[in-house]
Amino acid sequence: MKEVVEGQAAFAIVGNVGTATSAVAAPYCAEKDCVFFGALSGADVLRKTPPDRHVFNFRASLAAEAAAAVRYLVDVRRLTARRIAVFAQDDDFGRSGQRGAIRQLGEYGVAEADVLKLTYPRNTADVRDALAKLKERAADVDAVVMVATYKPAATFVRKTKDARLDLFYTTVSADSNGLAEELVLSGEGYTDRVLLTQVVPVPTAGATTLIRYRKELERRAPGEKPGSTSLEAWIGAQIFLQALERAGRELDTAKLVAALEGIRDWDLGIGGRISFGPGDHQGSDMVFGWLLQPDGTYRQVDLE
């Protein structure tokens, strides 16, 4: 960050990956009067009320994703709310999503003390403790809302299926290609009843914007499979380019902030509109449901 902002005089950082990095980078950007835009993180630390002047988010929060997953399980799949467990990474990333799931379960009358909470250590796929705890309560659980990166999520799904636990799984916006590959390679049946909440639509759909994305991906990264991570980054870039066009040629931080705050109800063609404002730096609250298929592709489903 110091090299880019101080050494190269950047006045905006676009697409920072990860919650732990964002927790350090966003305050540094604010100190240096640098815009921090479109981080690939849904953590609460980037979503203060009122918003930090320099921080703008495109994606829905982890809390919103996890809450949408709970609503899907209860309202669409017709599962009993008190039989839903939460499996989360033991850090700010995991706790942000866990809070959203627990709040939504509370809306269905489930007390926080009654929610089975499972965790695993950050930067690992060590799910042994979570698996042992789940086995002890297996008779009480029908579904698990996961707030995990794709490798521990895949490991958890694989090991619980190996243990013959009959569960429905949701996970927040993990690397869709990575998760699919892990579970397809695990063998027949490992992709069953696995749903991802995502902040972008399924990239293989026929919308004009998604066709543009796939063409650009093929042109710039031949052979790269369309997926959630590259699509999210591409959409974020389209929003940022729109702000640059509105800001004009004489760019500085103040003009860029004003241009971003001036984007209202902009239809990018992804199923909802993008809006910012002086008191709202959350451009989108859209959450999409991706149901994993046996061949590793995804089918978009309604979450409500």
Side-chain angles (χ1 to χ4, degrees), residues 25-161:
Y28 171 81
C29 277
E31 178 188 329
K32 299 298 180 181
D33 196 28
C34 176
V35 169
F36 193 73
F37 177 84
L40 273 72
S41 168
D44 296 340
V45 68
L46 297 178
R47 291 162 174 81
K48 297 178 181 177
T49 304
D52 289 335
R53 177 175 181 266
H54 297 82
V55 177
F56 290 82
N57 299 295
F58 151 61
R59 57 153 46 228
S61 69
L62 286 166
E65 286 191 64
V70 170
R71 291 194 298 273
Y72 171 78
L73 291 171
V74 176
D75 298 338
V76 179
R77 305 295 304 194
R78 298 298 181 187
L79 300 181
T80 303
R82 61 179 173 80
R83 296 181 61 83
I84 298 172
V86 182
F87 168 72
Q89 186 166 290
D90 190 12
D91 66 354
D92 286 344
F93 160 77
R95 286 187 285 274
S96 291
Q98 184 187 69
R99 283 191 290 269
I102 289 172
R103 277 197 297 266
Q104 188 62 53
L105 287 169
E107 294 292 318
Y108 293 111
V110 182
E112 180 173 351
D114 294 332
V115 179
L116 177 60
K117 306 178 191 71
L118 311 167
T119 61
Y120 72 94
R122 180 175 179 266
N123 286 338
T124 76
D126 183 359
V127 303
R128 289 172 296 180
D129 289 347
L131 180 61
K133 194 173 178 181
L134 178 60
K135 283 181 177 179
E136 291 175 0
R137 296 276 302 278
D140 303 325
V141 179
D142 291 329
V144 180
V145 173
M146 301 187 290
V147 188
T149 53
Y150 83 88
K151 278 190 177 293
T155 302
F156 185 76
V157 171
R158 184 166 54 245
K159 289 188 177 296
T160 52
K161 285 181 178 287

